[in-house]
Amino acid sequence: MIKGKFPTDKFQSLETPFYYYDMDLLRETLKTVKKETENKKYSIHYALKANANPLILKEIAAYGFGADCVSGNEILRALQCGFPASKIAFAGVGKTDREIKIGLDNDIFCFNVESLPEMEAIERLASETGKTTRIALRINPNVDAHTHKYITTGLEENKFGLNEPDLPKAIELISRSSHLQLIGMHFHIGSQITDMSSFENLCVKALELQNWFSGRGISFEIINVGGGLGINYHHPNHCPIADFEAYFRLFGKYLKLQENQTLHFELGRSVVAPCGSLISRATYVKEGISKKFLILDAGMTDLLRPALYQAYHHIENISSGKEYETYDVVGPVCESSDVFGENISLNQSQRGDFIAIRSAGAYGETMASAYNCRELPASYFSDSL
Ligand code: LLP
C-alpha cells in the first residue's frame, strides 16, 4: 500500500491532534483549476465553508479566485484574506439584517437570494442606504445530486433556494425596485457529487429556466452552478487532484453560454480536501471481545464527517512498517458514533504512533467543535514546519 508523505520527524515535537496541510498539493490544485478556466468565460468563487484557515485563504486569493460566503463573518474573513469584494458571492437561507448590511456596506459582487422574504429584506436595507445591489436568484432546480442525504441541496424537499412557483413574484418584486439589479441565476445541488450526470441534468434545467426568463424579456449576465465536485476519498495517493478537466468540459458541452454571459462556479471540497490530513497519535490499543480498537487522541470533535455522514476517510499509520492488522479506529469522545473507520487494515499499531486521516482539508477544521471541553485542533503547513 502506498502511503502519503509526511515529515514525521518534524511532527515529534508537536502536540496532537492537528491538521497538516500540504501546500504544494494545494498550489498544484489551484494551478490546475486556473489552467482549466482561464481562457474561458468561467469565474471561480472558492467556497469558504470548506476551509476558512487564513493561510489557506490567502493562497487561494493569490490565484485571483473569488469567494463564496454563507455568513457575514465569512465575508469579513474573505476580505481580510485578500479576496476583493467585487468577487464575493453571498448565499444562505437565513441571512440576518446584520449580515445583509455587511454585504451592502462592502459592495459585494452579488447576493444569491434564496426566498421572497429575504429579497424583501435586502430591498428594504438597500433602499435605507440608498444603494443598488446585484442579486442572483438561487433557484431550487429539483435535480438529484445522488449523494448523501445531508449534503443534497437541490431537491424540492430541501430548504434551499426559490422554487419555480416563486419566480413570477420574484420578478415582480425586482421590477418594482430601484435597489435590486438582477444579474443571474444561481444553483447548488449538493456536495461530494461523483455521478457526473447530475451536473448534466443541472445544465438542462438551467437552460430550461433561462428560456422561461427570456420569454419574459429577462436575460442574465451570469449563471452560477454552485459547487459539488466530488473527490476520491478511497485513493488519496493515486488521485490527489480531482478531474477538473472533465468537470469543466461537461459544462462547456451542456451549458452553452450566450454572448456576454459568464459561468460561475463555487468549488470548495475539490480545491482543499486532498491537501489536508488530520494527524493524531494512537493513545491505546484496546483488545475488545471480537475486535481490536485503535483509540486515537483525535475524535469527532476534530473531524465530524465520519460521525455525521458515515463518510469514508483513508487512514494510515505513518509511524509503523509492521505487518497489517485490522482495527476499529475510534476517538476518545463519549459518543458511540465517534468512529473514524471500522475493520480498517493498518500496519500493526502501538501507543504513540502517528495516524493520518487523509483528505480532511475540506469540512474538517471548519466543522471542529469543543464538545467534551476539548481543544480545537491546531494547524501546520508543509511550508513552515
Ligand atoms: N455553494 C453553496 C451554495 C454551497 O452550499 C456549498 C456547500 C458549496 C458551494 C461548496 O460545495 P463543494 O464544492 O464543497 O461541494 N459538510 C459537508 C458538506 C456541506 C456542503 C455545504 N455546501 C461535508 O463534510 O461533506
Side-chain angles (χ1 to χ4, degrees):
M1 203 184 284
I2 305 175
K3 291 199 195 189
K5 290 194 178 65
F6 294 97
T8 42
D9 50 328
K10 294 189 177 145
F11 290 172
Q12 294 299 339
S13 59
L14 305 176
E15 274 198 42
T16 42
F18 58 83
Y19 277 91
Y20 173 73
Y21 295 104
D22 177 344
M23 297 305 276
D24 289 332
L25 178 55
L26 176 62
R27 284 181 206 116
E28 277 308 305
T29 309
L30 293 168
K31 266 188 225 156
T32 307
V33 176
K34 192 154 185 155
K35 183 175 131 252
E36 295 299 337
T37 52
E38 65 191 347
N39 293 320
K40 304 192 174 87
K41 293 191 313 183
Y42 288 178
S43 174
I44 304 291
H45 303 262
Y46 164 69
L48 259 81
K49 62 179 85 62
N51 189 314
N53 187 302
L55 279 174
I56 301 274
L57 294 185
K58 284 178 190 159
E59 195 68 46
I60 298 172
Y63 279 74
F65 298 128
D68 159 44
C69 298
V70 285
S71 72
N73 288 351
E74 278 194 355
I75 295 177
L76 296 175
R77 175 78 62 91
L79 291 169
Q80 280 156 10
C81 293
F83 290 95
S86 60
K87 291 185 180 176
I88 295 180
F90 183 17
V93 293
K95 300 176 188 78
T96 63
D97 283 12
R98 170 186 167 267
E99 293 178 313
I100 293 170
K101 280 186 202 144
I102 290 175
L104 291 171
D105 289 347
N106 288 289
D107 197 17
I108 59 168
F109 170 63
C110 182
F111 287 85
N112 293 332
V113 177
E114 307 224 10
S115 68
L116 296 171
E118 180 198 328
M119 191 183 290
E120 283 163 7
I122 296 174
E123 142 72 22
R124 175 176 48 81
L125 292 165
S127 71
E128 276 170 25
T129 50
K131 295 200 171 185
T132 300
T133 190
R134 287 165 296 279
I135 62 167
L137 302 176
R138 176 170 182 175
I139 303 174
N140 185 326
N142 201 24
V143 168
D144 196 342
H146 302 291
T147 184
H148 191 279
K149 184 174 189 289
Y150 290 177
I151 50 176
T152 293
T153 48
L155 292 177
E156 251 169 45
E157 68 205 48
N158 301 127
K159 67 182 174 183
F160 301 97
L162 293 151
N163 293 305
E164 283 183 50
D166 299 328
L167 297 181
K169 188 83 201 290
I171 299 177
E172 192 196 315
L173 264 168
I174 296 163
S175 67
R176 273 197 272 114
S177 168
S178 51
H179 301 280
L180 301 176
Q181 184 196 350
L182 179 60
I183 62 162
M185 289 188 291
H186 171 245
F187 308 93
H188 174 73
I189 58 173
S191 197
Q192 184 52 19
I193 298 171
T194 51
D195 176 351
M196 300 302 266
S197 69
S198 305
F199 292 122
E200 238 176 87
N201 294 340
L202 172 60
C203 292
V204 171
K205 188 72 200 183
L207 291 178
E208 203 181 293
L209 283 160
Q210 174 162 266
N211 278 340
W212 185 89
F213 280 99
S214 53
R216 281 149 190 83
I218 296 167
S219 60
F220 297 120
E221 280 166 43
I222 70 157
I223 299 179
N224 182 336
V225 288
L229 175 61
I231 64 144
N232 188 330
Y233 279 98
H234 284 84
H235 300 290
N237 300 315
H238 293 298
C239 308
I241 298 183
D243 193 352
F244 291 106
E245 196 271 331
Y247 173 74
F248 290 117
R249 187 159 29 87
L250 182 149
F251 284 95
K253 182 168 172 197
Y254 293 99
L255 220 168
K256 291 274 171 266
L257 295 173
Q258 296 174 343
E259 226 174 297
N260 303 323
Q261 202 168 48
T262 50
L263 189 56
H264 291 233
F265 299 86
E266 298 172 340
L267 296 173
R269 183 191 315 268
S270 53
V271 176
V272 289
C275 75
S277 295
L278 177 62
I279 307 294
S280 61
R281 281 188 176 89
T283 310
Y284 299 110
V285 179
K286 175 175 164 176
E287 299 284 346
I289 300 292
S290 57
K291 39 173 74 176
K292 243 184 213 172
F293 294 100
L294 182 65
I295 303 175
L296 307 184
D297 60 9
M300 63 193 285
T301 51
D302 306 297
L303 177 64
L304 185 59
R305 303 193 68 258
L308 190 57
Y309 316 112
Q310 299 76 50
Y312 176 85
H313 283 259
H314 184 70
I315 304 174
E316 288 171 357
N317 183 326
I318 54 173
S319 302
S320 167
K322 296 184 191 148
E323 78 260 31
Y324 283 87
E325 286 197 337
T326 303
Y327 300 91
D328 275 17
V329 181
V330 303
V333 174
C334 298
E335 297 279 342
S336 293
S337 58
D338 186 24
V339 174
F340 289 117
E342 285 176 292
N343 298 316
I344 303 295
S345 184
L346 290 180
N347 294 98
Q348 194 186 52
S349 304
Q350 60 185 23
R351 181 178 171 84
D353 283 354
F354 285 117
I355 308 294
I357 305 180
R358 305 290 305 278
S359 317
Y363 307 109
E365 210 184 326
T366 42
M367 292 178 75
S369 79
Y371 181 43
N372 286 189
C373 286
R374 286 170 56 80
E375 299 289 338
L376 289 175
S379 49
Y380 296 100
F381 303 84
S382 56
D383 283 354
S384 49
L385 251 194

